[in-house]
Amino acid sequence: MRCSSSGRVSAKCSGRYMVVSKRVPELSPGCGMMKMASFEVFHWTSLHWKGLLVTKAGPGRALYEEIKARVLDGTYAAGTALPSTRACAAERGLSRSTVSVVYDQLASEGLIETQPGGASRVAVGAMRVLGPRAAALPGLDRTTRLSAYGARAVTLVPGYPRPLEPGLIDFVYGPLAGRDFPTQTWMKALRRVEGERPARLAYLDPRGDHALRLALKAYLARARGLACDVDQLLVVNGSQQALDLSARVLLDPGDTVVVENPGYRMAHHVFEATGARLRGVPVDHQGLCTDELNRVRKAKLAYVTPTHQFPLGSFLTMARRQALLQWAGDRGAWVIEDDYDSEYRYGVRPEAALQSLDDRACVIYVGTFSKTLSPQLRLGYMVLPPDLVDAFVAAKQLTDRHAPSSPQRVLASLLEDGSYDRHVRRIRRLQQARRTALLAALDKHLPGQTIVEGSATGLHCVAWLPAVSGEREAELVALARSKKVVVYPVTQFFLPATVPDRHRRSTGLVLGYALLEPDGIDTGVRRLAEAVRGMTQPHHL
């Protein structure tokens, strides 16, 4: 039991605090007279609050509910240290005794652990004490509180990437091997640019670091044959933000967007989230079937991957490039050229970019460093038609003001001194070795059983398995997973209910190899071959 000079007594009993209210005799100092001291009773339970914390306006209730909720939803993981009672009281404008009472109550419920002289920490197993979190507050219809955009977006995004269990060989497309990142070169440049940090830390030009845009202009001229003014360049947080800005600046609900089918679904989802309607156009070994564009009478935008069509890997021929630009000019449509991995060419001559062929200023060129450095850097860029620059810069500024400064300045330094070009040459050799290992493994473990498309460039290819019908695609993927290899069916990149019969007759797998080493690639294909044989042997038919 504790007693303050004001006569306030608190006692901890059976894990619950009770502040007892009574009138008891007390000796008055200096006069020998007895007077009555008044005490109040507060009784807590884990479900109901009384006295000090019972009312909605109680000074400690909000803190208690907040900490409890954060433990419940996993924000405060087991072992997380809570602020000291003194620091928490100063931060929240509460008395220290109020915070102490809150912490003690949480401890009595098994949610946190306290120790004299040490930090209070979230208890191990606290989430099991609380149980699963309610999906929604009673009587609250969350969907009615979303905008039309929010309601569409939440149904489109497939979910967050999750780590795979150890031992799996993953032929995923997108991630790069961490060991391929030029760590020493990057850190050396980072130390240099951080040592030159300006005295005034303020928001910067939304278009991006000027030195980076100058370096990008020179790089695109020599690497892709693009001619542009530095003011046409906009630095963005990866190509995904470039697509999002394009959708919000150029599209209204109901507008038609032409997309490759199959194609890059994250781009499709960006357009769909704005309320646009997708018009899928087939793809063959020469890229987008531009003859089909004549059936599209009105469209606001076309999105294409002409240098390495995703996912089938074909080149858009020069004749079709010209036909696409002619169609866009006649319809008054914009064209987004997503040049996502053109650095990886294995013995083939690069075609001219659409942007360099565009004489009507209708092409929006999108590039990224996610496939040469790291997708975690979130660095990309756009080359915009002059008439669109002001609108895109304004939208970028409203979105996040500008891309982070330090990575931009580091990248500018690497482009200026040639370090980036040397890195690209090195990583291109590494990826070519992985590509060679994949093709060799397919020939070795599945001889005569695969048809490979799109291997001349990029970081993935498509392997068709004629012996496994498309109807059994999911079965093959599951069987491969049981053998510790992860593969990805090509049909997931088609618009819903549009997979053509020729693709249903054969299973196609998108095999990314940038994350793997040659030995792992060979082992993964061997396991895949075991799965294929398990499905094609007579007793499995």
Side-chain angles (χ1 to χ4, degrees):
M1 181 173 289
R2 298 195 295 260
C3 180
S4 67
S5 60
S6 63
R8 193 177 190 80
V9 178
S10 65
K12 185 174 182 181
C13 179
S14 301
R16 304 174 185 272
Y17 264 90
M18 304 181 67
V19 181
V20 184
S21 177
K22 318 181 116 179
R23 293 185 62 81
V24 297
E26 183 181 77
L27 181 65
S28 297
C31 64
M33 297 291 293
M34 301 293 292
K35 70 175 184 178
M36 302 302 291
S38 178
F39 296 86
E40 300 172 324
V41 174
F42 302 127
H43 180 262
W44 292 26
T45 73
S46 61
L47 299 176
H48 302 287
W49 293 74
K50 299 180 180 179
L52 177 65
L53 300 175
V54 67
T55 65
K56 292 183 178 179
R61 182 185 179 101
L63 177 62
Y64 168 85
E65 296 288 359
E66 179 183 327
I67 295 175
K68 185 173 182 177
R70 296 294 78 79
V71 174
L72 171 63
D73 65 16
T75 301
Y76 298 162
T80 299
L82 300 180
S84 67
T85 55
R86 186 186 303 277
C88 186
E91 178 71 21
R92 300 303 184 97
L94 300 171
S95 69
R96 189 177 179 187
S97 61
T98 296
V99 177
S100 295
V101 170
V102 169
Y103 279 20
D104 287 337
Q105 175 63 19
L106 291 166
S108 74
E109 296 179 13
L111 305 182
I112 68 172
E113 298 171 344
T114 60
Q115 55 181 344
S120 298
R121 297 180 180 275
V122 176
V124 175
M127 291 186 70
R128 291 195 296 272
V129 171
L130 292 168
R133 186 179 183 183
L137 295 176
L140 176 63
D141 183 358
R142 288 185 169 181
T143 60
T144 63
R145 299 168 62 88
L146 296 175
S147 68
Y149 174 89
R152 288 188 293 265
V154 78
T155 64
L156 293 170
V157 177
Y160 309 112
R162 300 184 183 278
L164 298 175
E165 57 265 32
L168 287 177
I169 295 177
D170 189 6
F171 284 99
V172 64
Y173 171 81
L176 303 180
R179 55 193 170 274
D180 292 344
F181 186 80
T183 303
Q184 293 184 353
T185 302
W186 185 272
M187 292 303 297
K188 180 179 179 181
L190 178 62
R191 286 191 292 269
R192 183 170 62 252
V193 301
E194 288 298 329
E196 301 167 352
R197 184 171 293 280
R200 182 171 182 262
L201 299 179
Y203 295 115
L204 302 176
D205 189 336
R207 295 173 297 180
D209 182 77
H210 188 259
L212 176 56
R213 289 186 289 127
L214 284 174
L216 273 174
K217 176 183 177 181
Y219 173 76
L220 291 173
R222 67 176 181 268
R224 295 296 289 126
L226 267 65
C228 66
D229 187 79
V230 69
D231 289 334
Q232 291 178 255
L233 283 161
L234 176 64
V235 179
V236 292
N237 290 314
S239 59
Q240 195 66 26
Q241 186 179 55
L243 300 176
D244 180 66
L245 289 173
S246 299
R248 289 191 287 118
V249 171
L250 302 177
L251 297 176
D252 290 312
D255 284 342
T256 297
V257 178
V258 169
V259 297
E260 299 163 328
N261 193 29
Y264 181 44
R265 294 295 285 149
M266 283 295 284
H268 298 174
H269 295 330
V270 167
F271 305 136
E272 290 176 301
T274 67
R277 296 177 298 182
L278 301 185
R279 176 66 181 270
V281 174
V283 175
D284 62 17
H285 66 285
Q286 294 185 341
L288 185 77
C289 296
T290 51
D291 288 346
E292 298 288 329
L293 293 175
N294 295 325
R295 301 181 182 182
V296 184
R297 296 184 178 181
K298 185 178 181 181
K300 193 72 169 290
L301 180 68
Y303 168 77
V304 293
T305 52
T307 302
H308 187 219
Q309 196 278 329
F310 188 85
L312 299 184
S314 55
F315 289 101
L316 188 62
T317 63
M318 182 58 67
R320 290 190 179 185
R321 291 172 189 248
Q322 296 286 4
L324 173 59
L325 293 174
Q326 183 66 45
W327 170 85
D330 294 344
R331 301 296 195 281
W334 302 102
V335 176
I336 297 178
E337 178 181 14
D338 191 347
D339 201 13
Y340 64 98
D341 66 358
S342 62
E343 291 83 1
Y344 300 105
R345 298 183 297 273
Y346 311 117
V348 296
R349 181 179 62 85
E351 293 284 2
L354 287 173
Q355 194 272 351
S356 65
L357 301 172
D358 178 22
D359 59 4
R360 303 193 187 193
C362 65
V363 174
I364 301 167
Y365 181 90
V366 175
T368 181
F369 293 96
S370 293
K371 301 300 182 286
T372 54
L373 289 171
S374 168
Q376 296 178 355
L377 285 177
R378 309 312 304 136
L379 274 176
Y381 54 91
M382 308 177 75
V383 181
L384 296 164
D387 289 346
L388 292 181
V389 170
D390 289 344
F392 273 78
V393 172
K396 169 67 176 172
Q397 190 169 16
L398 288 173
T399 299
D400 59 5
R401 289 190 179 267
H402 57 76
S405 171
S406 292
Q408 291 189 70
R409 292 185 292 141
V410 170
L411 184 54
S413 174
L414 300 187
L415 285 166
E416 290 166 355
D417 68 12
S419 297
Y420 179 76
D421 293 279
R422 288 191 292 275
H423 166 70
V424 168
R425 289 193 293 270
R426 180 182 70 88
I427 198 172
R428 186 185 293 134
R429 290 193 297 270
L430 293 174
Q431 303 299 8
Q432 186 168 9
R434 291 167 175 143
R435 164 187 171 272
T436 300
L438 176 59
L439 297 179
L442 290 171
D443 284 341
K444 174 182 175 183
H445 299 295
L446 289 165
Q449 299 178 63
T450 60
I451 300 172
V452 178
E453 282 188 283
S455 65
T457 63
L459 300 174
H460 76 279
C461 67
V462 175
W464 295 98
L465 299 164
V468 182
S469 69
E471 285 76 10
R472 304 186 70 192
E473 175 187 87
E475 183 183 349
L476 174 60
V477 171
L479 185 56
R481 181 65 175 258
S482 72
K483 297 180 180 297
K484 301 295 185 180
V485 61
V486 185
V487 292
Y488 300 85
V490 73
T491 54
Q492 67 181 313
F493 300 104
F494 282 89
L495 297 178
T498 65
V499 179
D501 290 340
R502 62 189 177 92
H503 291 315
R504 292 185 184 277
R505 291 192 293 268
S506 176
T507 288
L509 301 176
V510 178
L511 301 177
Y513 47 80
L515 192 60
L516 303 172
E517 291 304 318
D519 288 347
I521 290 171
D522 184 79
T523 301
V525 174
R526 176 175 55 78
R527 295 177 183 176
L528 174 62
E530 292 173 0
V532 171
R533 285 193 295 272
M535 293 184 62
T536 55
Q537 289 174 356
H539 64 277
H540 282 277
L541 294 178

